[in-house]
Amino acid sequence: DVRDCMARIAAAATRGMDTRDSGDEPSVWDKEMTKRQEQVMLLLSVVELGNVALFKRNLPLYVKDGLINEKDVHYGLTALISASMHGHVGMVQLLLERNATVDLLDSIGRTALMGSACGGHLMITNMLLDRGANPNLQDNQGATALIHSAHQGYKDVSKLLLEHHAKINLPDSNGRSALMAAAHQNHIDVIKLLLKNGAAVDKEALSGGTALMITAFKGYTKAARALLQYNASTNIIDEEGNAALMLASKTGRVDVVQ
C-alpha cells in the first residue's frame, strides 16, 4: 500500500496539474489553484522522501499558507496521511503539534490511521489514537484500520486498536471481518488475538463464507485448529453449498480434513 501510494504521488507529479484544453486561456483562479497544488505536491514530495530537516525548516510556511490539511487534487492525500503511511514519526509529530486534522479522508476513503495501521507503524498509530483518531471509520471498501492491520498481520497494531475501542466485528462492504482478513493471510498470532478478544468466530461474509472456510480452502491447518478451539461451526454452508470440510476435500487439503 505504501509503494502504491508513492507511485500515485509520482504519477500525479508527472502528469502535472493543468487539465485545461490546449487552446484555453487560464483564468486567475486556474493559475492560483495550479500554484497551490504545486505547493501541495512539493510538500508531499518532502514527506515522501522523509526529509525531516527540510520539512521542519519549511513547516512555518506550510502552516502560514494553510497547506497542513490541504489535499492533493488527484488522490486526496494530506501531509499527515502520507507521513503516516510512510512511517515518518518525526513528521507526524510535527504535524500533530501544528494541529493537523487526524481524520481527513483521501480519495479512496483512507485516513492517516488506516495508513499507519496498514504499514504496521505502531508508534504512529499510537500517536494518532492519542490525538483522537477514530478507529472505526471505514474506507471506500468498508475496511477499518483493524481490518487493514489484521490483513497485514500486525499483531501489536491490532492489539492497540482494540485497546482504543476498535469494533472487532465491524465488516467491510463484502461482509468480511478482521478475523476473516487475518485468516485469509494465515496470520496465526492475529487470529488468536482476535478470538481472545471476542471476534465472532462464525461471522459470515456476504458470500456466506466464514473464517474457517477460508482456512479450510487454503489448507491453513494451524489457523483452522485455532478457530475450531473457539467452536467454529463446520456445518455452515456458503452460497455455493459448500461447508468447510467440503472445501478442504475439494482442494486436497488432507491435513485440514484430518
Side-chain angles (χ1 to χ4, degrees), residues 73-221:
V73 72
H74 290 290
Y75 302 108
L77 292 172
T78 66
L80 184 61
I81 293 173
S82 184
S84 299
M85 291 176 65
H86 286 87
H88 297 321
V89 176
M91 288 185 179
V92 170
Q93 182 64 46
L94 289 169
L95 286 163
L96 291 176
E97 288 174 356
R98 295 303 183 105
N99 297 315
T101 304
V102 293
D103 281 336
L104 291 178
L105 312 178
D106 68 10
S107 61
I108 58 173
R110 292 197 179 183
T111 63
L113 183 63
M114 292 177 196
S116 66
C118 191
H121 306 306
L122 182 63
M123 186 177 296
I124 292 176
T125 300
N126 190 52
M127 291 163 63
L128 293 168
L129 288 167
D130 283 348
R131 289 299 293 264
N134 186 345
N136 296 311
L137 293 179
Q138 295 171 279
D139 64 21
N140 292 357
Q141 300 300 317
T144 62
L146 180 60
I147 289 176
H148 285 298
S149 65
H151 185 264
Q152 297 297 330
Y154 296 122
K155 178 184 176 182
D156 290 342
V157 173
S158 297
K159 182 174 183 290
L160 181 62
L161 289 165
L162 290 171
E163 290 170 352
H164 283 78
H165 311 295
K167 295 180 180 179
I168 197 167
N169 294 313
L170 187 61
D172 66 14
S173 56
N174 290 309
R176 295 174 297 200
S177 65
L179 181 62
M180 293 179 195
H184 196 274
Q185 299 298 320
N186 199 27
H187 295 312
I188 302 295
D189 289 343
V190 179
I191 290 172
K192 291 180 177 179
L193 170 72
L194 294 170
L195 289 170
K196 183 178 179 181
N197 282 274
V201 68
D202 286 330
K203 186 172 182 59
E204 298 178 47
L206 296 183
S207 64
T210 64
L212 183 62
M213 290 181 186
I214 294 169
T215 58
F217 180 78
K218 289 179 170 287
Y220 299 151
T221 305

Side-chain angles (χ1 to χ4, degrees), residues 51-69:
N51 192 331
V52 178
L54 179 59
F55 180 82
K56 191 171 184 178
R57 185 163 65 246
N58 290 333
L59 185 56
L61 180 62
Y62 300 147
V63 173
K64 178 184 175 183
D65 290 343
L67 298 176
I68 292 297
N69 291 317

Side-chain angles (χ1 to χ4, degrees), residues 18-26:
D18 193 349
T19 57
R20 295 174 291 106
D21 293 334
S22 59
D24 292 344
E25 187 67 24

